Amino acid sequence: MKNSLLLYLFIIVLLLNVFTYMYFSKEVAFEKDQSARTEAKLNKDLDAVKTKLADATYFSLEKNENAQNYFNPDNATKTIQIEKLIPVVTEKLLDLNTNPKGNPYVGQDQIGANKFIINKVKILNHRWIIADFSDGEYWGEVLIKYFVNEDETISFETFESLLYQK
């Protein structure tokens, strides 16, 4: 009786070990498969984001070699570093927001009590800037021409301005 009880207990323990082993080995395989699928999906999403970023920065001075060559032609005695030019041009344009009548390059006269100031600037190439402006109530966008003069000063000229309806 005692031997048969031990035999049954041994068989039960053996079966429990086999089932436990099978469960955990399949769980590891399942987790590996799940991890591989998640990684594949994340790689696909990352590629999509990279493509969108490339499309979004297509019109930018940082990615436009032709516009960069305007500042750094092969026969130039003096070159302009694009990495330093972009923040300088942006800062000069945003500094004009301190004008009491608002930024003069938004192309709009003051409508209400608040002045129009430029909020966001994107340098498109060696000649064009697009900017977003507002007075807190009205919003608009403006295309601005910019020039880097011989004395390394920067001048601006409003090309076209658009004010959105309220």
Side-chain angles (χ1 to χ4, degrees), residues 36-114:
R37 278 189 273 154
T38 302
E39 185 177 345
K41 182 183 181 307
L42 290 175
N43 284 335
K44 183 179 173 186
D45 291 347
L46 182 61
D47 290 342
V49 168
K50 284 180 182 178
T51 301
K52 283 184 179 182
L53 180 61
D55 288 345
T57 59
Y58 181 79
F59 289 106
S60 68
L61 183 57
E62 297 99 341
K63 301 290 181 189
N64 188 335
E65 287 185 32
N66 293 325
Q68 291 176 11
N69 289 338
Y70 174 82
F71 292 115
N72 303 314
D74 293 334
N75 59 356
T77 57
K78 182 166 66 170
T79 61
I80 298 174
Q81 292 180 339
I82 302 303
E83 299 83 22
K84 292 182 181 176
L85 175 69
I86 293 170
V88 168
V89 170
T90 303
E91 183 180 325
K92 296 256 188 224
L93 189 58
L94 292 176
D95 283 347
L96 295 168
N97 285 343
T98 60
N99 188 326
K101 294 193 178 223
N103 196 310
Y105 296 105
V106 297
Q108 300 290 329
D109 294 329
Q110 187 172 342
I111 295 176
N114 299 327

Side-chain angles (χ1 to χ4, degrees), residues 1 6 10 24 74-75 84 108 116 126 135 155 162:
M1 179 86 177
L6 286 176
F10 178 75
F24 283 116
D74 293 334
N75 59 356
K84 292 182 181 176
Q108 300 290 329
F116 282 110
H126 65 287
D135 68 352
S155 57
L162 167 77

Side-chain angles (χ1 to χ4, degrees), residues 105 107 127-129 142-145 156-161:
Y105 296 105
R127 187 62 64 224
W128 299 101
I129 297 172
V142 61
L143 275 174
I144 300 172
K145 282 183 175 180
F156 301 99
E157 179 184 312
T158 303
F159 180 70
E160 190 70 38
S161 180

